[in-house]
Amino acid sequence: MSRTTATVAASLPDHWEQLVTTALLGTDRRTPPGMAPGPQTPSDLLDAAAAATVRRRAGLCPARPAERLRPAPEDPRPPLPHAAARRLAALLADRPGASGGGRRGAAPDLMELLPQWLQAANARGYAAPPQALPALLDAARGRTDLRPAALRFAGPRALWLARLNPDWRFALRAAPGGGPSAPDLRDPQGIRRLWQEGLFTERVTLLTALRSRDAAAARALLEETWATERAEDRLMFLDSLRAGLAPDDETFLERALADRSRNVRETAAELLSALPASALAARMAARAAACVAVDRTRDVPTIVVEAPHECDAAMERDGVVAKAPAGRGERSWWLGQLVDAAPLGIWPGRLGGRTPEEIVALPVADGWQGELHAAWCRAAVRQRDAAWSRALLGEPSAPEAGGPGAVSLAERARLLAALDAGERAAWVAGFIETHGLSEAFQLLGVCAVPWAPPLGRAVVDALNIARDAGSYPWSFSGVMGLAERCLDPSEASRLDALLAIPDEPEDAAPGAGSYWSEAFQRLVTTLRLRGAMLAELAPEEPAP
């Protein structure tokens, strides 16, 4: 620094803001304080700024040292076998969309195998390799369907990492106890403090976690502040009672029937109707039974229906919505709500001691069959009644593939969910054998994985028939994708005969044969890869 400049800089007070302003405006528009205008002014300004910077830095007081970061918690679970750890790294390295779209080719889709790999690793109780945690959290960030299994596998170290990286904060919200202020569920004072002072999402998480551990304590906590909660919050809190719903909840839910919010009233009524022994269920049963009877004077016993003529205040209090949707008659609308809220156990006694199958087989007079059976379907789904679900589904080989109430594939899928896994798979297999795959996609989605052998054979046979018929191949891509994830890996050897390019009929879609061959190659490769993945997760033999 020159002597002149040093003298000028030393004589100047440390007006940092003035120097910055002058630099922004330019010395030709504003002369720095204490300096003479001229060609040397820009250099003097820079020298003064340099001297001021030194003074500012020298005058800083040392900051308090930050608290040393606590080490990540230990994960007591056994480590992954080495082969499985390498497989996990390969699955996480595969990124969706890398192929750029178009035909998938014969290579397996590794990202679609990751959920199944995580499920198998969690079932065996392994801990995630520390070096895989960042990629695992990135994958869970991009796919919400992965989060429960990924966070369970990642364990406590994932929460430790999530507190250090804002991109992974979702883990704190999704994992039980992940919130920074989440108390120990064995700490009553901490629970009460968070319930009274926490954010809404923290309170919902707390209530859900406490409900799974101590249903009565969670309900008591909710009752304390129920009258002061906002309507939308009451609805969310009430919905948390679905888990572990029990007769002990009835008194609280009965009070909620008088809530000032219609949505809260309807949710309370829905929950009470799922308790067959509740007072509301008894009231609905009496109303529904008064509307449905058997006429024995006809040549064939027939169900007759007399729908309600009005929706009174008591019905509305019990959750019946008075105003019918556009296009629906009021009386049929009210009838459907009464029947689907009534316990299914009342109907055998009301309708001549008949079984559910016999009741469903009875004719219904005056065009009420569709409405009545549809309401019974909704009741069977809500009450998870296997006998009624079985009766309403009917035989899978029937022309309509279900009872008259099963008005849609989605309804059939919900009814199937009430059956055990083996019966569910057998019904869907029978459906596919009779009706093919074109309508079976939703039904396959409710079947347990891996598919039972009869179901797997039915799917493969139907795909083979479609291939030999020269069917448009892309319309089966969804089912083929399901087969890659859900077929038992032991089926791979049985599919080798389908890998060749078939002869294409004259009316086949152009290129269908090569597409089918490619799709079956991908299916076989994926099944063998899944088999290898499961084998790699087996515990390693100790070294001799």
Side-chain angles (χ1 to χ4, degrees):
M1 180 183 300
S2 67
R3 178 178 299 178
T4 303
T5 304
T7 303
V8 172
S11 66
L12 285 175
D14 186 10
H15 296 311
W16 178 254
E17 296 299 332
Q18 294 183 32
L19 295 174
V20 171
T21 303
T22 302
L24 291 173
L25 293 175
T27 55
D28 56 337
R29 298 178 61 189
R30 179 170 179 172
T31 302
M35 296 183 190
Q40 186 65 20
T41 303
S43 297
D44 290 345
L45 174 64
L46 294 176
D47 287 344
T53 299
V54 172
R55 287 199 299 271
R56 287 165 59 86
R57 290 178 177 174
L60 285 177
C61 294
R64 290 180 176 272
E67 183 180 351
R68 179 175 294 182
L69 190 64
R70 294 182 180 181
E74 293 294 328
D75 194 332
R77 297 174 296 176
L80 271 177
H82 293 297
R86 289 193 297 270
R87 180 72 66 189
L88 173 62
L91 294 176
L92 291 172
D94 191 68
R95 288 290 180 265
S99 63
R103 286 174 65 158
R104 289 177 51 194
D109 187 341
L110 298 185
M111 277 301 291
E112 288 304 314
L113 295 181
L114 182 57
Q116 197 167 115
W117 188 97
L118 289 170
Q119 181 182 12
N122 284 329
R124 290 160 175 78
Y126 288 120
Q131 67 273 17
L133 290 176
L136 188 62
L137 286 168
D138 281 340
R141 179 193 178 201
R143 285 183 55 176
T144 56
D145 62 307
L146 280 179
R147 290 181 182 178
L151 293 177
R152 179 183 169 192
F153 178 61
R157 290 176 174 173
L159 300 182
W160 183 86
L161 283 173
R163 293 187 178 99
L164 303 175
N165 185 345
D167 289 344
W168 299 332
R169 291 293 173 87
F170 70 87
L172 301 178
R173 298 187 298 269
S181 58
D184 188 332
L185 292 181
R186 296 167 295 185
D187 176 15
Q189 292 183 347
I191 288 174
R192 188 174 300 278
R193 183 168 55 254
L194 180 58
W195 179 250
Q196 293 175 350
E197 302 175 3
L199 299 174
F200 172 70
T201 54
E202 294 174 327
R203 299 177 75 208
V204 171
T205 300
L206 171 65
L207 192 65
T208 303
L210 186 59
R211 179 72 176 177
S212 64
R213 183 186 181 97
D214 188 341
R219 186 180 62 251
L221 196 67
L222 181 56
E223 286 182 291
E224 287 182 7
T225 60
W226 180 257
T228 61
E229 303 288 357
R230 299 184 305 167
E232 55 268 32
D233 294 352
R234 292 199 304 276
L235 182 62
M236 290 293 293
F237 293 145
L238 193 64
D239 200 60
S240 70
L241 299 185
R242 294 182 189 277
L245 186 66
D248 290 344
D249 298 318
E250 181 181 357
T251 302
F252 173 68
L253 292 173
E254 274 284 341
R255 290 200 299 270
L257 289 176
D259 195 272
R260 54 188 179 275
S261 166
R262 188 188 71 178
N263 290 333
V264 172
R265 294 195 302 270
E266 291 176 0
T267 301
E270 179 188 348
L271 293 173
L272 283 168
S273 68
L275 296 172
S278 68
L280 179 137
R283 296 192 295 269
M284 293 302 232
R287 294 174 181 128
C291 298
V292 182
V294 172
D295 184 354
R296 297 179 177 84
T297 64
R298 306 190 184 203
D299 295 338
V300 176
T302 302
I303 293 177
V304 291
V305 173
E306 181 65 29
H309 290 274
E310 65 173 344
C311 180
D312 57 32
M315 288 169 61
E316 287 196 64
R317 181 184 181 276
D318 284 346
V320 177
V321 179
K323 184 174 177 58
R328 288 287 303 273
E330 284 186 331
R331 296 183 66 197
S332 64
W333 171 244
W334 299 331
L335 173 75
Q337 294 179 80
L338 296 182
V339 173
D340 71 35
L344 289 164
I346 70 168
W347 297 113
R350 174 64 177 163
L351 302 178
R354 293 174 171 84
T355 65
E357 286 81 3
E358 292 169 338
I359 291 172
V360 170
L362 289 174
V364 182
D366 302 325
W368 284 104
Q369 179 169 291
E371 187 66 50
L372 184 61
H373 283 218
W376 277 336
C377 280
R378 295 191 297 273
V381 170
R382 181 182 299 177
Q383 299 171 34
R384 299 194 64 81
D385 191 300
W388 275 90
S389 296
R390 195 177 296 118
L392 290 160
L393 280 166
E395 292 298 323
S397 58
E400 293 182 356
V407 294
S408 68
L409 289 170
E411 191 73 49
R412 295 173 201 165
R414 288 192 286 268
L415 289 169
L416 282 167
L419 307 181
D420 64 65
E423 186 176 2
R424 199 183 313 161
W427 197 94
V428 177
F431 178 94
I432 292 171
E433 290 169 359
T434 303
H435 303 281
L437 286 171
S438 59
E439 296 185 356
F441 187 80
Q442 284 182 289
L443 306 181
L444 287 168
V446 301
C447 293
V449 178
W451 288 336
L455 177 58
R457 288 193 293 270
V459 171
V460 172
D461 290 345
L463 287 171
N464 192 22
I465 291 171
R467 182 192 72 153
D468 290 344
S471 299
Y472 193 68
W474 296 274
S475 61
F476 294 91
S477 59
V479 174
M480 189 66 78
L482 270 181
E484 292 171 20
R485 299 188 295 273
C486 303
L487 267 178
D488 194 301
S490 62
E491 296 286 329
S493 58
R494 201 168 68 85
L495 297 172
D496 285 337
L498 303 178
L499 300 181
I501 298 177
D503 296 331
E504 296 184 6
E506 291 184 1
D507 56 347
S514 62
Y515 176 93
W516 280 112
S517 174
E518 189 177 86
F520 277 115
Q521 287 177 23
R522 184 174 61 249
L523 175 58
V524 171
T525 304
T526 302
L527 292 179
R528 290 190 170 133
L529 177 56
R530 285 175 50 212
M533 284 167 35
L534 295 177
E536 291 164 356
L537 286 166
E540 292 178 321
E541 295 293 333

